[in-house]
Amino acid sequence: GLKTLHLGSCVITTNLHGIRSGFSEIRDSVQAKDEIIDIRILRKTQSLQGTKPADRCCLLHHILRLYLDRVFKNYQPPDHHIFRKVSRLANSLLTIKKDLRLCHAHMSCPCGEEAAEKYSQILSHFEELPPQAAVVKALGELDILLQWLEEA
Amino acid sequence: VPCVSGDLSKPTNVTFISINMKNILQWNPPEGLQGVEVSYTVQYFIYGQKKWLNKSECRNISRTYCDLSAETSDYEHQYYAKVKAMWGTNCSKWAETGRFYPFLETQIGPPEVALTTDEKSISIVLTAPKKWKKSPEESSISMQQIYSNLKYNVSIYNTRSNRTWSQCVTNHTLVFSWLEPATLYCVLVESFVPGPPRLTQPSERQCVSTLEDQTTALEVK
């Protein structure tokens, strides 16, 4: 079933179950490549559900742009199976990002201070790592991002 | 006495078995050492934090499991655990789990099932399973409170016609009507949360008979 995401005044629907099931198929092998276990990029203090509703759309829009422009684009899948699964995940997140852009066009995706502050913290956690390690870690943390969406 | 690391092969199949957030780490003895007096030590790690932590009750133990429910009770965090084997002055390297995410991985136990019957229907009342808790004094938390989208798969089997119906419900009461009088029916219920696949545990099969059809009973008199 489709899940409705209430991100302040921006309301979108997405096939979150399908995305989560897709990721669960590659989760163990992707996470196994992340050996830096004492750093977490998506932390509880920057969670979507812990952000005031009005800023959630903008925060999510920034996070999805990070994933699409710097994670999926630079990820080197070890085999064709994972490549296909990751491509499908990327397309699903791209669809969500396009919906958020529509909200932006309709002035229902404002970028407040909280969104900017939390995204800059996420970005600094990401950039603290060597590039390829950051890509692998961010991909491995998709279950956290998807959980944030589930609870948003 | 520090042991010589790496002379012993590692424990195998180190994994979390999690049901209703009761998270047990379990493993198999190192290959070739079944039945030998091996002891084990466990550590755990909270993903994103800085160091491995000891579990004092699981230091130098001979059993092959360790209850880490209390240590992994913040189910929004993710965890790792590792175990090493020791035998005399030799010890193995650590054997580690993958990343464990209780919120996504815990099995949802079966609900409690209460059945009442009359001539042609069976009423079923379900009570959501309870989350693991540290002590009996602690107040109970229903798994429903953690998973608001918790659902139940209810199956009812007619032992005379060998026919089975299944129904997926979210509420806790349902009635199966249009049943045959004086017939034994068996009910099985499974909890599940929509989303990534999880292991499930069906309830015990409960059987109950519908009552005699009173109209025919009167005519017979």
Side-chain angles (χ1 to χ4, degrees):
Chain A
L2 289 178
K3 161 95 180 174
T4 301
L5 301 183
H6 297 270
L7 305 162
S9 50
C10 170
V11 181
I12 63 172
T13 55
T14 178
N15 176 14
L16 196 53
H17 290 166
I19 300 172
R20 296 184 83 171
S21 294
F23 179 68
S24 69
E25 290 177 43
I26 59 170
R27 176 174 169 260
D28 288 344
S29 55
V30 168
Q31 288 180 349
K33 298 287 192 306
D34 178 8
E35 291 165 356
I36 306 171
I37 65 174
D38 60 353
I39 290 180
R40 175 170 156 168
I41 294 171
L42 301 175
R43 302 180 189 180
K44 234 175 156 177
T45 42
Q46 288 99 46
S47 72
L48 209 53
Q49 61 274 33
T51 303
K52 69 170 186 269
D55 273 25
R56 289 180 187 173
C57 174
C58 176
L59 177 56
L60 180 57
H61 193 253
H62 282 323
I63 294 172
L64 292 182
R65 199 182 57 210
L66 174 68
Y67 269 82
L68 290 162
D69 296 351
R70 299 178 62 174
V71 177
F72 289 112
K73 205 165 277 185
N74 299 312
Y75 179 64
Q76 293 152 14
D79 57 57
H80 187 65
H81 167 69
I82 292 195
F83 170 78
R84 270 190 312 107
K85 292 292 173 183
V86 169
S87 304
R88 192 174 299 163
L89 284 167
N91 285 325
S92 301
L93 296 188
L94 183 59
T95 303
I96 297 176
K97 183 165 172 281
K98 282 179 181 168
D99 289 343
L100 298 182
R101 200 183 298 141
L102 283 179
C103 283
H104 194 68
H106 294 101
M107 306 298 186
S108 56
C109 193
C111 283
E113 214 179 296
E114 188 179 359
E117 175 55 27
K118 288 188 173 179
Y119 178 64
S120 77
Q121 287 164 1
I122 289 170
L123 193 58
S124 74
H125 304 152
F126 182 83
E127 291 178 337
E128 183 184 321
L129 295 156
Q132 198 50 38
V135 163
V136 167
K137 180 175 282 299
L139 192 62
E141 291 190 2
L142 259 183
D143 52 7
I144 296 175
L145 179 59
L146 296 172
Q147 188 51 34
W148 288 4
L149 294 180
E150 185 78 48
E151 292 180 22
Chain B
V1 172
C3 59
V4 180
S5 171
D7 275 7
L8 220 55
S9 47
K10 295 195 278 192
T12 57
N13 298 328
V14 186
T15 187
F16 276 100
I17 301 297
S18 175
I19 301 174
N20 297 334
M21 301 290 183
K22 180 180 175 74
N23 306 324
I24 308 286
L25 181 73
Q26 71 175 42
W27 58 88
N28 293 340
E31 246 128 52
L33 284 178
Q34 279 79 2
V36 174
E37 268 294 311
V38 176
S39 64
Y40 303 96
T41 288
V42 168
Q43 290 187 334
Y44 66 97
F45 191 96
I46 301 169
Y47 176 58
Q49 298 196 5
K50 288 306 167 199
K51 57 189 174 83
W52 286 91
L53 302 168
N54 290 314
K55 165 82 174 181
S56 49
E57 296 88 340
C58 296
R59 180 198 292 270
N60 291 327
I61 55 173
S62 56
R63 61 179 188 271
T64 57
Y65 62 88
C66 170
D67 188 339
L68 288 172
S69 304
E71 290 75 17
T72 56
S73 57
D74 181 341
Y75 48 77
E76 290 197 325
H77 269 300
Q78 302 183 327
Y79 303 91
Y80 291 84
K82 62 183 181 183
V83 55
K84 71 177 177 183
M86 290 155 296
W87 183 37
T89 58
N90 298 311
C91 56
S92 74
K93 289 195 166 72
W94 292 101
E96 217 173 284
T97 65
R99 197 177 300 172
F100 171 58
Y101 196 172
F103 188 82
L104 289 189
E105 298 181 51
T106 199
Q107 280 181 64
I108 316 292
E112 281 167 32
V113 181
L115 306 179
T116 49
T117 71
D118 67 20
E119 291 154 41
K120 293 184 179 173
S121 69
I122 293 178
S123 303
I124 301 178
V125 176
L126 306 173
T127 307
K130 299 282 184 288
K131 174 182 177 289
W132 167 86
K133 55 184 183 180
K134 270 182 196 134
S135 64
E137 296 75 40
E138 233 181 60
S139 55
S140 284
I141 296 173
S142 157
M143 292 296 275
Q144 178 90 48
Q145 291 168 259
I146 299 171
Y147 300 96
S148 55
N149 54 351
L150 181 63
K151 296 180 192 301
Y152 304 103
N153 215 343
V154 184
S155 305
I156 184 164
Y157 163 69
N158 179 328
T159 59
R160 187 183 291 159
S161 67
N162 284 328
R163 284 184 56 208
T164 300
W165 299 269
S166 285
Q167 197 172 332
C168 172
V169 297
T170 49
N171 41 15
H172 287 82
T173 53
L174 68 157
V175 178
F176 279 96
S177 308
W178 307 106
L179 303 178
E180 295 169 36
T183 303
L184 187 68
Y185 286 90
C186 294
V187 174
L188 205 62
V189 186
E190 206 175 58
S191 315
F192 73 97
V193 172
R198 292 170 201 255
L199 296 172
T200 57
Q201 250 191 352
S203 64
E204 299 276 327
R205 198 168 88 134
Q206 283 187 57
C207 300
V208 68
S209 189
T210 47
L211 305 182
E212 289 278 342
D213 187 346
Q214 295 311 312
T215 48
T216 49
L218 287 174
E219 278 156 20
V220 167
K221 278 193 181 127

